[in-house]
Amino acid sequence: MTRLLIMGPPGAGKGTQAELVAKRFGVPAISTGDIFRANIAASTPMGVEVQKYLDAGEYVPDSITNEMVRDRLNESDAAEGFLLDGYPRTLSQVEFLDGVLAESGTELDHVIELTVDVDEVVARLHKRAKEEGRTDDSEEVIRRRQEVYFEETAPLIAVYSDRGLVFKVDGMGMVEEVAARVADAVSRPPHG
Ligand code: AMP
């Protein structure tokens, strides 16, 4: 059973690593950002509602995000494990996730914190915005997303550190090298 979170600033390569690691451990990679973008692309009512937040680099309200994650975690493919990418991002999302997991008598195993050089991160984001034509990645928005991460989400690391769950992984280098480091961290027992 593998219940994982991957955290790190926007552009740390979370999405790529999440896919690789999830595949390796045979669990679904669940990216809240991807779910939002898919809803926006399909113009679902939820997508229409959340687009303004993504376009501004702000967080979608917890009321929308939490219910979406609960529904996704209750799907059968997540019963034996999952890797969450981009959730939780606020302290209240941490509490909500604790509650969802408690309902099924499970808990998190590992929290992977990807660490990167901030200049490198911003360069990666510019490159990705160009390649993918992402409307949520203008220069101003890229900066705002970094700020929001350090204000809102970095403090969550302390919460999970206190539980002995956090493994810091150097996110710099080749994708495969980083993936090997992440897999190594996931294979080790939690510190707790
Ligand atoms: P990401 O692809 O993970 O960087 O997410 C892209 C955008 O989706 C974020 O900038 C937020 O607007 C929104 N988003 C993704 N996950 C969350 C979350 N856990 N809470 C609030 N907003 C989120």
Side-chain angles (χ1 to χ4, degrees):
M1 265 163 308
T2 319
R3 294 188 173 84
L4 310 171
L5 301 186
I6 189 158
M7 299 183 63
K14 277 190 315 279
T16 305
Q17 293 302 328
E19 293 290 343
L20 289 171
V21 173
K23 203 167 168 191
R24 180 155 182 162
F25 290 92
V27 296
I30 300 174
S31 157
T32 44
D34 282 354
I35 300 174
F36 287 135
R37 282 185 289 274
N39 275 275
I40 290 169
S43 298
T44 67
M46 188 263 264
V48 170
E49 197 175 347
V50 303
Q51 178 156 22
K52 59 178 179 287
Y53 299 105
L54 274 85
D55 284 350
E58 302 294 340
Y59 284 173
V60 172
D62 288 344
S63 54
I64 299 173
T65 308
N66 283 337
E67 291 309 320
M68 180 181 89
V69 170
R70 185 210 294 270
D71 289 348
R72 182 64 188 87
L73 290 179
N74 284 333
E75 283 177 36
S76 57
D77 66 334
E80 295 301 320
F82 54 79
L83 191 163
L84 277 170
D85 161 17
Y87 181 94
R89 266 172 147 110
T90 64
L91 289 169
S92 90
Q93 291 178 7
V94 170
E95 279 171 31
F96 186 87
L97 178 61
D98 286 342
V100 170
L101 295 178
E103 281 166 19
S104 59
T106 60
E107 49 186 36
L108 293 174
D109 304 310
H110 292 76
V111 174
I112 300 298
E113 180 192 4
L114 280 184
T115 60
V116 287
D117 180 87
V118 173
D119 291 340
E120 162 94 28
V121 155
V122 172
R124 274 190 202 175
L125 287 172
H126 281 300
K127 189 162 167 264
R128 187 174 73 183
K130 273 207 207 103
E131 284 168 2
E132 297 180 5
R134 282 173 54 155
T135 59
D136 60 337
D137 276 354
S138 74
E139 193 162 340
E140 191 187 337
V141 169
I142 287 172
R143 226 173 326 161
R144 180 62 192 146
R145 292 170 83 231
Q146 298 288 331
E147 276 172 20
V148 172
Y149 176 80
F150 285 104
E151 284 164 16
E152 303 275 343
T153 302
L156 274 53
I157 304 274
V159 173
Y160 288 123
S161 285
D162 286 348
R163 300 184 193 177
L165 295 178
V166 176
F167 289 75
K168 253 188 210 290
V169 172
D170 180 3
M172 304 299 288
M174 303 284 289
V175 167
E176 295 77 13
E177 284 168 10
V178 177
R181 288 179 207 138
V182 174
D184 179 60
V186 173
S187 304
R188 276 182 278 150
H191 311 293

